[in-house]
Amino acid sequence: MKDEDWMRWALQLAASARGQTSPNPLVGAVIVKDGELVGQGAHLKAGGPHAEVHALRMAGEKARGATVYVTLEPCDHHGRTPPCSRALIEHGVARVVVAMVDPNPLVAGGGIRRLRQAGVKVEVGLLEKDARALNRGFIQRMTSGRPWVIAKIAMTLDAQIATRTGESRWITGEKAREKVHELRSWVDAVVTGVGTVIADDPQLTARPPGGGLSRQPLRVVLDSRLRIPGDARILSTVSAQTVVCAGRGLAPAERIAELAARGVDVWLIDPDSEGGLDLHQVFGRLGEAGVNTVLVEAGGQLQGSVFRSGLVDEVVFFLAPKLLMGSGIPALAGEGVERLAQSAQLEITGVEAVGEDLKVTALVRRAEKGR
């Protein structure tokens, strides 16, 4: 096997813990000596051993003189665990191949420098594009302060999410809904609006086939005036934490106290010019809370607002082979653009048949991000 093959294996190990490591990144490590795998590991959860430590424990004395393939620069600071750079040096590894430099200011090249100063050969940049794609959320939070935002839209081929009477269950089939639960299991938070809570009473928990999740995503309800019903399932499901974002100066004090007494976190957010919530502040607050990735599952009004605010980074469409023909509820509501040049530009990254439906994934193209 070549260097690239070992790094791909390390990336697969890292991806195996998707949705479980926040606020930390996904990291995988592989240790190879004389062409044979002697150690491997992944970072499984925040506060637990890092990927390099798992791999070193497996390799033992065989790590001396070996090559380590790691998807993210080894840390060089004391956090909840000791520095991985020093552990690698102490075990006598000869070479470290790093996919990408850690964007965390606490690391940012420090681990690589320490390894080189100790005489370890370090190579950086192998499969960097793949490594960056794996940790888009962590990178974005480290560099901009906000999480990576994915808009999930289940709609008909004529871009409607419900009939004119509001009926929306179920536009897509069972297989597509299973994929949505898989998506929820991968992200750190799911954001919705109070209108969706009132209309559909969702739980917004991740319930993928097979189960086995150790962590549920944080559920976030945007509700400027705290209209959320007291018996909403999103408030009563104990397996997942719920945050309700309320408007500063708009939400009744007694409702804030009532929700707080039930163990629901209420975040006060400044209103925007239209009486809603300042979405940049909402997502900035999520970044401060250590949230790396967010899935927006909402009605057309909120989805449209998040898009117009320039906060969406990725879109996952589930397209049902149906037509509602007429005045249904659009997937993206609100005032549209006047000219084609103002339209959101997407880069399609995947198309997949999911049961009778079609799943289309796309990145939102932004010139400043090099897309």
Side-chain angles (χ1 to χ4, degrees), residues 134-261:
L134 184 66
N135 275 310
R136 284 176 178 138
F138 177 75
I139 295 168
Q140 177 139 293
R141 185 170 66 84
M142 287 293 109
T143 56
S144 73
R146 72 167 180 85
W148 182 265
V149 178
I150 306 166
K152 187 276 295 184
I153 301 175
M155 64 184 190
T156 60
L157 288 180
D158 50 353
Q160 300 188 61
I161 60 172
T163 68
R164 59 185 176 84
T165 62
E167 183 184 353
S168 61
R169 291 189 177 182
W170 295 102
I171 278 184
T172 54
E174 183 179 350
K175 292 296 182 182
R177 296 196 294 276
E178 288 178 359
K179 285 287 186 181
V180 172
H181 282 288
E182 185 178 77
L183 271 173
R184 290 179 189 168
S185 74
W186 288 350
V187 299
D188 301 327
V190 178
V191 170
T192 195
V194 68
T196 296
V197 174
I198 292 172
D200 298 337
D201 194 22
Q203 296 183 70
L204 291 186
T205 53
R207 304 182 298 280
L213 293 182
S214 61
R215 187 180 70 102
Q216 285 285 342
L218 175 70
R219 298 169 302 178
V220 183
V221 181
L222 307 193
D223 184 7
S224 59
R225 300 180 186 275
L226 290 186
R227 297 186 295 124
I228 189 168
D231 61 352
R233 292 196 298 171
I234 203 167
L235 298 179
S236 60
T237 306
V238 296
S239 62
Q241 182 185 358
T242 299
V243 166
V244 178
C245 294
R248 196 186 310 275
L250 299 177
E254 62 272 16
R255 286 287 282 145
I256 295 175
E258 176 190 327
L259 290 171

Side-chain angles (χ1 to χ4, degrees), residues 116-133:
R116 285 174 172 162
Q117 288 167 1
V120 178
K121 183 179 180 181
V122 181
E123 300 169 20
V124 183
L126 180 65
L127 298 184
E128 180 175 357
K129 183 178 179 180
D130 301 77
R132 295 183 70 85

Side-chain angles (χ1 to χ4, degrees), residues 146 310-313 345 364-371:
R146 72 167 180 85
L311 290 164
V312 177
D313 300 292
Q345 300 295 310
V364 178
R365 297 171 109 179
R366 293 191 179 95
E368 68 272 18
K369 291 192 176 183
R371 297 196 205 126

